[in-house]
Amino acid sequence: MTRTDPALIAFLEEQRADYTRSLPRRLEQVGLLWQQILRGEDLAQALPTLERHAHSLAGSAATFGWAELGLAAQALEFALGPHVGTEQALAPEAQAEVGRAVEQLQQRFHGAA
């Protein structure tokens, strides 16, 4: 039988708490970038930055106990992928798809928080 180190457990719990505390700010950044994209402002930077935020959340969320949030972030990342590097406003269908993904991401956080 393996003994669990209480110091390790405490460290991991603190890491999870730190991650959870960072989520409101990270999701606020997602929302601000999405609004910037909707306004058509600096798409060359906003689209890849939003994709990076989604990618980061998709990769880290499940590790810290936010699996559903991670799946929603992955969906956002995939929705953005074809549009990164185009520097063009999103077509209405793409805008609707990405908008739904942003909304789902926000809902996964607020529903679980």
Side-chain angles (χ1 to χ4, degrees), residues 3-96:
R3 290 179 34 175
T4 305
D5 181 358
L8 176 60
I9 298 298
F11 172 77
L12 294 174
E13 287 174 359
E14 184 58 31
Q15 292 298 305
R16 182 181 191 283
D18 285 347
Y19 184 84
T20 298
R21 282 190 293 272
S22 77
L23 286 175
R25 178 183 43 79
R26 294 174 78 176
L27 293 172
E28 179 183 11
Q29 290 174 320
V30 166
L32 292 172
L33 285 163
W34 177 233
Q35 291 304 311
Q36 182 179 343
I37 290 166
L38 288 174
R39 291 188 305 268
E41 296 173 0
D42 196 10
L43 296 175
Q45 181 181 357
L47 284 166
T49 301
L50 181 54
E51 184 190 37
R52 273 193 308 279
H53 280 286
H55 178 78
S56 176
L57 286 167
S60 63
T63 300
F64 294 101
W66 290 88
E68 291 295 319
L69 183 79
L71 292 172
Q74 185 179 49
L76 175 58
E77 178 185 9
F78 290 158
L80 286 164
H83 311 290
V84 172
T86 64
E87 301 181 24
Q88 297 176 2
L90 298 177
E93 305 83 33
Q95 186 174 325

